[in-house]
């Protein structure tokens, strides 16, 4: 669990449009890396390239390398389905399967792989994942109730439980708290903080307090203007980015002097 990732000279296209240009960075294992920057600068695009989900969008194409430990996930013989089993993704809107039980939601990614797993083993995975997502105490007495009977914050933690049930090497989260109230947001932030003991976590957020609270490293992305590609302007320790950034654009963005 918890592998290192390295992005090398990534260019990402949607058809003829170059959305992201020349992004390189190292993402350390057992750490939280935050991506920040204005809307449209390519944060989600880069994130989705890290588990090869991007190519499910027709016309989307990645140039460059993404190493998971030493393996380039874009190498010719690599199976994208296998990559997505090693790297979990949590989305902006909590998306549990609404009519499926809480228990089955946690197992949703597993059951595709091993239909004939013994019940005791499944129970173990459900408990471990829900504990890992800080949700166990709230749901342990109603594991067979439907997933949509939970609050928004609980649903998001259920989605995190589903993502960690497969024991991924890396956990990607695209604005995981933007649909949540402040209390649920803090619960998910606490959880992210704990997850880095076992996982490599990458989170996209618009909330700078959140980036500074939860992340070790921060990447600031920016675009020069509409139609130009997003670029990684600065990537450094979170504390440095938020107190003493090297680039003027970063400074302007974090102090809010920016469109
Ligand atoms: N499926 C797509 N087809 C074509 N262009 C796309 C697609 N998805 C994103 N883009 C474009 O790529 C660029 C980067 O988009 P992306 O969604 O990565 O930005 P973002 O930084 O995540 O923005 P936001 O903060 O609003 O979520 C934008 O110009 C966007 O319009
Ligand atoms: Mg986005």
């Amino acid at each position: 669990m918890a592998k290192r990732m390295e992005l090398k000279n990534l260019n990402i296209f949607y058809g003829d449009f170059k959305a992201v240009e020349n992004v390189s960075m190292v993402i350390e294992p057992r750490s939280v890396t935050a991506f920040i920057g204005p809307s449209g600068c390519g944060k989600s695009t880069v994130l989705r390239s890290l588990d090869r989900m991007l190519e499910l969008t027709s016309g989307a194409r990645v140039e460059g390398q993404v190493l998971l430990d030493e393996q380039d996930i874009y190498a010719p013989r690599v199976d994208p389905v296998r990559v997505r089993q090693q790297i979990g993704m949590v989305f902006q809107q909590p998306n549990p399967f609404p009519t499926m039980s809480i228990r089955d939601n946690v197992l949703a990614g597993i059951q595709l792989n091993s239909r004939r797993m013994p019940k005791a083993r499944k129970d173990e995975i459900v408990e471990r994942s829900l504990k890992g997502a800080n949700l166990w105490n709230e749901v342990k007495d109603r594991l067979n109730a439907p997933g949509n009977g939970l609050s928004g914050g609980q649903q998001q933690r259920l989605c995190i439980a589903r993502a960690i049930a497969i024991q991924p090497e890396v956990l990607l989260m695209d604005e995981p708290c933007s649909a949540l109230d402040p209390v649920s947001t803090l619960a998910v932030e606490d959880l992210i903080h704990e997850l880095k003991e076992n996982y490599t976590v990458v989170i996209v957020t618009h909330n700078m307090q959140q980036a500074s609270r939860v992340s070790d490293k921060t990447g600031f992305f920016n675009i020069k203007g509409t139609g130009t590609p997003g670029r990684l302007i600065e990537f450094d320790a979170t504390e440095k980015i938020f107190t003493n950034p090297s680039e003027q654009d970063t400074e302007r963005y974090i102090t809010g002097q920016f469109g």
Side-chain angles (χ1 to χ4, degrees), residues 12-15 17-20 36-48 54 57-60 92 174-175 204-206 221 223 226-230 253:
I12 307 178
F13 301 83
Y14 293 103
F17 172 57
K18 192 188 226 181
V20 171
I36 62 167
S39 183
C41 67
K43 304 177 297 294
S44 298
T45 298
V46 172
L47 196 75
R48 288 199 303 260
L54 190 85
T57 303
S58 95
Q92 188 165 2
D174 197 345
E175 301 190 47
V204 171
T205 178
H206 271 117
F221 293 79
I223 30 172
T226 321
T228 64
Y253 186 74

Side-chain angles (χ1 to χ4, degrees), residues 17 41 64 86 118 133 138 176 188 194 206 234-235 237 244-245 254 257:
F17 172 57
C41 67
Q86 292 175 277
E138 290 156 74
V188 171
E194 286 170 22
H206 271 117
E234 187 166 353
F235 180 58
N244 183 24
I254 59 149
Q257 312 164 42

Side-chain angles (χ1 to χ4, degrees), residues 41-243:
C41 67
K43 304 177 297 294
S44 298
T45 298
V46 172
L47 196 75
R48 288 199 303 260
S49 76
L50 302 184
D51 73 344
R52 294 192 60 169
M53 190 164 278
L54 190 85
E55 65 209 65
L56 301 175
T57 303
S58 95
R61 183 164 63 82
V62 175
E63 277 178 11
Q65 288 186 317
V66 176
L67 306 184
L68 183 61
D69 278 352
E70 296 308 311
Q71 171 75 58
D72 180 9
I73 65 170
Y74 285 98
R77 271 192 299 272
V78 174
D79 175 5
V81 174
R82 173 88 188 98
V83 171
R84 287 176 218 127
Q85 284 165 358
Q86 292 175 277
I87 301 179
M89 177 78 86
V90 174
F91 299 92
Q92 188 165 2
Q93 290 295 333
N95 60 347
F97 299 108
T99 57
M100 224 185 240
S101 69
I102 291 169
R103 181 177 191 276
D104 288 345
N105 261 287
V106 176
L107 293 170
I110 305 255
Q111 274 168 342
L112 299 176
N113 302 336
S114 46
R115 228 164 277 260
R116 270 174 290 165
M117 188 183 282
K119 177 170 181 305
R121 174 83 187 104
K122 285 184 182 166
D123 290 345
E124 220 175 273
I125 293 173
V126 169
E127 184 168 340
R128 170 179 53 75
S129 307
L130 288 169
K131 281 182 172 162
N134 278 345
L135 188 59
W136 175 250
N137 286 333
E138 290 156 74
V139 301
K140 62 175 192 275
D141 299 322
R142 48 169 166 157
L143 293 175
N144 292 315
N148 63 0
L150 300 175
S151 74
Q154 289 171 330
Q155 289 187 24
Q156 192 60 303
R157 281 178 284 144
L158 178 59
C159 294
I160 293 171
R162 180 175 68 194
I164 60 181
I166 59 168
Q167 298 197 288
E169 316 284 359
V170 178
L171 204 52
L172 308 175
M173 303 187 179
D174 197 345
E175 301 190 47
C177 301
S178 64
L180 306 183
D181 64 85
V183 173
S184 304
T185 295
L186 285 180
V188 171
E189 285 182 10
D190 282 346
L191 172 57
I192 292 169
H193 197 76
E194 286 170 22
L195 288 171
K196 78 172 178 184
E197 284 175 29
N198 293 310
Y199 301 96
T200 306
V201 181
V202 185
I203 175 176
V204 171
T205 178
H206 271 117
N207 179 332
M208 304 223 234
Q209 279 85 26
Q210 177 164 80
S212 61
R213 280 193 297 258
V214 303
S215 71
D216 304 290
K217 289 274 188 74
T218 295
F220 169 62
F221 293 79
N222 201 4
I223 30 172
K224 287 250 183 294
T226 321
T228 64
R231 290 176 143 267
L232 179 63
I233 304 300
E234 187 166 353
F235 180 58
D236 212 326
T238 295
E239 179 160 352
K240 167 105 169 54
I241 294 282
F242 284 99
T243 57

